[in-house]
Short mmCIF file of all heavy atoms in Angstrom, two decimals:
data_model
loop_
_atom_site.label_atom_id
_atom_site.label_comp_id
_atom_site.label_asym_id
_atom_site.label_seq_id
_atom_site.Cartn_x
_atom_site.Cartn_y
_atom_site.Cartn_z
N PRO A 794 -112.97 -24.77 7.41
CA PRO A 794 -112.50 -24.79 5.98
C PRO A 794 -113.04 -23.55 5.20
O PRO A 794 -114.14 -23.09 5.44
CB PRO A 794 -113.00 -26.09 5.45
CG PRO A 794 -114.27 -26.34 6.23
CD PRO A 794 -114.00 -25.80 7.63
N ALA A 795 -112.22 -23.18 4.23
CA ALA A 795 -112.64 -22.07 3.33
C ALA A 795 -112.14 -22.38 1.89
O ALA A 795 -111.14 -23.01 1.70
CB ALA A 795 -112.04 -20.71 3.81
N VAL A 796 -112.87 -21.86 0.93
CA VAL A 796 -112.50 -21.96 -0.49
C VAL A 796 -112.66 -20.60 -1.15
O VAL A 796 -113.67 -19.92 -1.00
CB VAL A 796 -113.39 -23.00 -1.21
CG1 VAL A 796 -113.14 -22.98 -2.70
CG2 VAL A 796 -113.08 -24.43 -0.68
N PHE A 797 -111.64 -20.15 -1.88
CA PHE A 797 -111.60 -18.87 -2.55
C PHE A 797 -111.54 -19.04 -4.03
O PHE A 797 -110.68 -19.79 -4.54
CB PHE A 797 -110.36 -18.05 -2.06
CG PHE A 797 -110.37 -17.62 -0.60
CD1 PHE A 797 -109.22 -17.07 -0.05
CD2 PHE A 797 -111.45 -17.86 0.19
CE1 PHE A 797 -109.23 -16.66 1.31
CE2 PHE A 797 -111.46 -17.47 1.52
CZ PHE A 797 -110.33 -16.91 2.10
N LEU A 798 -112.40 -18.34 -4.77
CA LEU A 798 -112.51 -18.45 -6.25
C LEU A 798 -112.09 -17.19 -6.90
O LEU A 798 -112.64 -16.13 -6.64
CB LEU A 798 -113.97 -18.76 -6.62
CG LEU A 798 -114.61 -20.00 -5.91
CD1 LEU A 798 -116.06 -20.15 -6.31
CD2 LEU A 798 -113.79 -21.26 -6.18
N HIS A 799 -111.19 -17.25 -7.86
CA HIS A 799 -110.66 -16.12 -8.60
C HIS A 799 -111.60 -15.71 -9.72
O HIS A 799 -112.58 -16.37 -10.08
CB HIS A 799 -109.30 -16.42 -9.16
CG HIS A 799 -109.26 -17.50 -10.18
ND1 HIS A 799 -109.63 -17.32 -11.49
CD2 HIS A 799 -108.95 -18.80 -10.10
CE1 HIS A 799 -109.52 -18.44 -12.20
NE2 HIS A 799 -109.11 -19.41 -11.38
N GLY A 800 -111.29 -14.57 -10.36
CA GLY A 800 -112.08 -14.00 -11.42
C GLY A 800 -111.61 -14.37 -12.85
O GLY A 800 -110.63 -15.15 -13.01
N LEU A 801 -112.29 -13.86 -13.84
CA LEU A 801 -111.91 -14.11 -15.23
C LEU A 801 -110.52 -13.69 -15.52
O LEU A 801 -110.14 -12.53 -15.26
CB LEU A 801 -112.91 -13.40 -16.15
CG LEU A 801 -112.71 -13.50 -17.63
CD1 LEU A 801 -112.87 -14.95 -18.12
CD2 LEU A 801 -113.61 -12.52 -18.42
N GLY A 802 -109.67 -14.57 -16.08
CA GLY A 802 -108.32 -14.20 -16.41
C GLY A 802 -107.37 -14.27 -15.18
O GLY A 802 -106.17 -14.01 -15.34
N GLY A 803 -107.91 -14.55 -14.04
CA GLY A 803 -107.08 -14.62 -12.85
C GLY A 803 -106.69 -16.03 -12.50
O GLY A 803 -106.77 -16.94 -13.35
N CYS A 804 -106.18 -16.23 -11.32
CA CYS A 804 -105.81 -17.59 -10.85
C CYS A 804 -105.71 -17.51 -9.34
O CYS A 804 -105.97 -16.57 -8.69
CB CYS A 804 -104.44 -17.93 -11.44
SG CYS A 804 -103.01 -16.94 -10.81
N SER A 805 -105.36 -18.67 -8.74
CA SER A 805 -105.35 -18.83 -7.32
C SER A 805 -104.35 -17.83 -6.62
O SER A 805 -104.53 -17.52 -5.46
CB SER A 805 -105.09 -20.25 -6.93
OG SER A 805 -103.79 -20.67 -7.45
N GLN A 806 -103.33 -17.44 -7.35
CA GLN A 806 -102.36 -16.55 -6.76
C GLN A 806 -103.01 -15.20 -6.37
O GLN A 806 -102.43 -14.50 -5.51
CB GLN A 806 -101.25 -16.27 -7.75
CG GLN A 806 -100.32 -17.43 -8.08
CD GLN A 806 -99.17 -17.02 -9.03
OE1 GLN A 806 -98.57 -16.07 -8.85
NE2 GLN A 806 -98.96 -17.85 -10.03
N ASN A 807 -104.13 -14.86 -6.97
CA ASN A 807 -104.79 -13.56 -6.63
C ASN A 807 -105.16 -13.59 -5.11
O ASN A 807 -105.34 -12.48 -4.56
CB ASN A 807 -106.05 -13.41 -7.42
CG ASN A 807 -105.77 -13.26 -8.90
OD1 ASN A 807 -106.71 -13.34 -9.71
ND2 ASN A 807 -104.52 -13.09 -9.31
N TRP A 808 -105.26 -14.71 -4.52
CA TRP A 808 -105.73 -14.77 -3.09
C TRP A 808 -104.54 -14.97 -2.13
O TRP A 808 -104.79 -14.94 -0.91
CB TRP A 808 -106.65 -15.99 -2.92
CG TRP A 808 -107.96 -15.87 -3.68
CD1 TRP A 808 -108.27 -16.46 -4.86
CD2 TRP A 808 -109.06 -14.99 -3.32
NE1 TRP A 808 -109.57 -16.08 -5.27
CE2 TRP A 808 -110.07 -15.19 -4.30
CE3 TRP A 808 -109.34 -14.16 -2.26
CZ2 TRP A 808 -111.26 -14.51 -4.27
CZ3 TRP A 808 -110.55 -13.47 -2.16
CH2 TRP A 808 -111.47 -13.65 -3.19
N SER A 809 -103.31 -15.02 -2.60
CA SER A 809 -102.22 -15.31 -1.70
C SER A 809 -102.08 -14.27 -0.54
O SER A 809 -101.84 -14.65 0.59
CB SER A 809 -100.92 -15.37 -2.49
OG SER A 809 -100.89 -16.52 -3.31
N PRO A 810 -102.17 -12.95 -0.88
CA PRO A 810 -102.06 -11.99 0.24
C PRO A 810 -103.12 -12.15 1.32
O PRO A 810 -102.83 -12.01 2.55
CB PRO A 810 -102.20 -10.59 -0.46
CG PRO A 810 -101.83 -10.88 -1.86
CD PRO A 810 -102.32 -12.27 -2.15
N LEU A 811 -104.34 -12.47 0.91
CA LEU A 811 -105.45 -12.65 1.92
C LEU A 811 -105.30 -13.98 2.63
O LEU A 811 -105.59 -14.09 3.86
CB LEU A 811 -106.80 -12.59 1.23
CG LEU A 811 -108.03 -12.58 2.11
CD1 LEU A 811 -108.02 -11.35 2.99
CD2 LEU A 811 -109.28 -12.64 1.27
N MET A 812 -104.86 -15.06 1.97
CA MET A 812 -104.68 -16.32 2.55
C MET A 812 -103.64 -16.23 3.75
O MET A 812 -103.84 -16.79 4.80
CB MET A 812 -104.17 -17.35 1.53
CG MET A 812 -105.25 -17.72 0.54
SD MET A 812 -104.62 -18.77 -0.83
CE MET A 812 -104.22 -20.28 -0.02
N GLU A 813 -102.63 -15.46 3.51
CA GLU A 813 -101.57 -15.28 4.51
C GLU A 813 -102.15 -14.63 5.76
O GLU A 813 -101.79 -14.98 6.93
CB GLU A 813 -100.44 -14.47 3.97
CG GLU A 813 -99.29 -14.23 4.94
CD GLU A 813 -98.11 -13.44 4.32
OE1 GLU A 813 -98.21 -13.05 3.17
OE2 GLU A 813 -97.11 -13.27 5.02
N ARG A 814 -103.02 -13.62 5.56
CA ARG A 814 -103.55 -12.87 6.69
C ARG A 814 -104.68 -13.60 7.41
O ARG A 814 -105.03 -13.15 8.55
CB ARG A 814 -104.03 -11.48 6.19
CG ARG A 814 -102.91 -10.55 5.93
CD ARG A 814 -103.39 -9.37 5.01
NE ARG A 814 -102.30 -8.39 4.83
CZ ARG A 814 -101.31 -8.49 3.93
NH1 ARG A 814 -101.25 -9.65 3.21
NH2 ARG A 814 -100.36 -7.61 3.88
N LEU A 815 -105.21 -14.65 6.86
CA LEU A 815 -106.25 -15.40 7.58
C LEU A 815 -105.89 -16.82 7.94
O LEU A 815 -106.73 -17.61 8.30
CB LEU A 815 -107.47 -15.41 6.63
CG LEU A 815 -108.22 -14.09 6.40
CD1 LEU A 815 -109.29 -14.24 5.31
CD2 LEU A 815 -108.80 -13.54 7.68
N ALA A 816 -104.57 -17.08 7.88
CA ALA A 816 -104.12 -18.43 8.17
C ALA A 816 -104.38 -18.84 9.64
O ALA A 816 -104.35 -20.00 9.96
CB ALA A 816 -102.61 -18.57 7.83
N ASP A 817 -104.58 -17.86 10.50
CA ASP A 817 -104.87 -18.17 11.94
C ASP A 817 -106.38 -18.32 12.19
O ASP A 817 -106.78 -18.71 13.32
CB ASP A 817 -104.31 -17.03 12.82
CG ASP A 817 -105.05 -15.72 12.55
OD1 ASP A 817 -105.44 -15.46 11.40
OD2 ASP A 817 -105.23 -14.94 13.54
N ARG A 818 -107.25 -18.18 11.19
CA ARG A 818 -108.69 -18.29 11.33
C ARG A 818 -109.28 -19.32 10.47
O ARG A 818 -110.35 -19.88 10.80
CB ARG A 818 -109.36 -16.93 11.04
CG ARG A 818 -109.08 -15.85 12.11
CD ARG A 818 -109.67 -16.21 13.47
NE ARG A 818 -111.09 -16.41 13.47
CZ ARG A 818 -112.01 -15.44 13.65
NH1 ARG A 818 -111.59 -14.21 13.85
NH2 ARG A 818 -113.30 -15.74 13.69
#
Side-chain angles (χ1 to χ4, degrees):
V796 171
F797 295 171
L798 306 176
H799 64 80
L801 177 67
C804 68
S805 59
Q806 291 183 48
N807 296 167
W808 295 103
S809 291
L811 188 61
M812 291 171 69
E813 181 178 1
R814 285 163 175 80
L815 291 173
D817 64 327
R818 291 295 300 270

